[in-house]
Amino acid sequence: MGTKTVDEAGAETGAEATEAKRDEETVDVTEKDAKDEATPVSEETDGVDDSDLDEDGEVVEESRPAGVGLGAGAVVSAALGLVSLTGGWIGTLAAARQTLVGQLETASSASVAHQIQAVYGDAWQATALWAGLFALAALVTGVVVLARPAFGAPGRVQAPWIKSVAWAGVTLGVIGLLLAVLKYTDALLGLPSAS
C-alpha cells in the first residue's frame, strides 16, 4: 500500500521534469519578449535618444524644439514694427545729421522756403526714410514667420502665441510703412509754407 512501483515513480519524475522544462521555456520566451519591447527598432527612431520615446517606442513630439526660431522671429518683427512707429536712435541721428548738413549748406541769402526745406524738411524725410526701413523689415520678418510652417515639417502645428505676435509685427509694419510714406511725401504734417 505504501510502496510504489518503479514504473509509477519514474512516471511521476518524468511528469515533474516535463513540467519544469515547460516552465523554463515560458520564462525564456517572456525574457525575449521583454528584451524586444525594451529596444524597439524602427526607421523613425534612428538617431533619437531613448528619453524621447514613449512606452510604444514612438517619438514624442514635445521632446523636439518647438519653434524657438519662429518665436524669436515673431518677437523681432513686433519690435521692429514698434520702432518704425515710435522712431529709433538711428532715425533721430540721421535727422540731426541732416539738420546740420542743411545749416552748413544753406547760404544766409537763400529764400526762407529753401532754408526751411534744407534745415527741417530734409531731416523730416530722413526720419521718415529710416522709419520706413524699420517698417519694411518688420513686415518681411512677420510674413516669413507666418509662412515658414508651410515649408516645414508636415503635421507640426505652430504655437498660437507665435502667430499672434507675428501678426502684430505684420500689422505694425504695414501701419509704419504707410505712415513713413505719408511723412516722406509731406502728405502728413507737411512743412509750413514760407509765404
Side-chain angles (χ1 to χ4, degrees):
M1 292 190 220
T3 58
K4 293 185 183 177
T5 63
V6 175
D7 291 333
E8 290 176 349
E12 281 184 22
T13 308
E16 289 174 4
T18 306
E19 189 175 327
K21 189 173 182 180
R22 251 189 254 137
D23 288 342
E24 284 179 21
E25 288 175 359
T26 304
V27 170
D28 187 37
V29 169
T30 307
E31 286 176 3
K32 275 187 179 178
D33 290 344
K35 285 180 184 176
D36 289 344
E37 288 178 7
T39 57
V41 178
S42 70
E43 292 177 12
E44 287 182 4
T45 60
D46 286 347
V48 177
D49 197 12
D50 287 340
S51 62
D52 295 341
L53 302 175
D54 62 4
E55 62 274 353
D56 296 330
E58 302 211 5
V59 178
V60 179
E61 290 296 323
E62 292 79 26
S63 65
R64 295 182 183 168
V68 174
L70 293 178
V75 171
V76 167
S77 173
L80 288 171
L82 282 174
V83 169
S84 75
L85 292 177
T86 60
W89 173 79
I90 197 163
T92 304
L93 187 65
R97 182 184 183 283
Q98 198 59 43
T99 299
L100 181 62
V101 169
Q103 288 174 346
L104 292 173
E105 290 180 353
T106 304
S108 58
S109 61
S111 69
V112 174
H114 180 70
Q115 288 179 1
I116 290 174
Q117 178 60 39
V119 176
Y120 299 107
D122 292 345
W124 183 253
Q125 288 178 338
T127 304
L129 180 67
W130 280 101
L133 290 174
F134 278 109
L136 187 61
L139 183 62
V140 168
T141 306
V143 167
V144 167
V145 169
L146 289 172
R148 174 65 177 97
F151 302 105
R156 178 168 271 186
V157 179
Q158 192 175 44
W161 72 268
I162 293 174
K163 286 183 181 178
S164 299
V165 175
W167 274 113
V170 168
T171 304
L172 290 172
V174 168
I175 293 170
L177 198 57
L178 179 65
L179 288 176
V181 168
L182 290 175
K183 285 191 294 187
Y184 192 84
T185 59
D186 288 336
L188 177 67
L189 299 172
L191 291 173
S193 69
S195 55

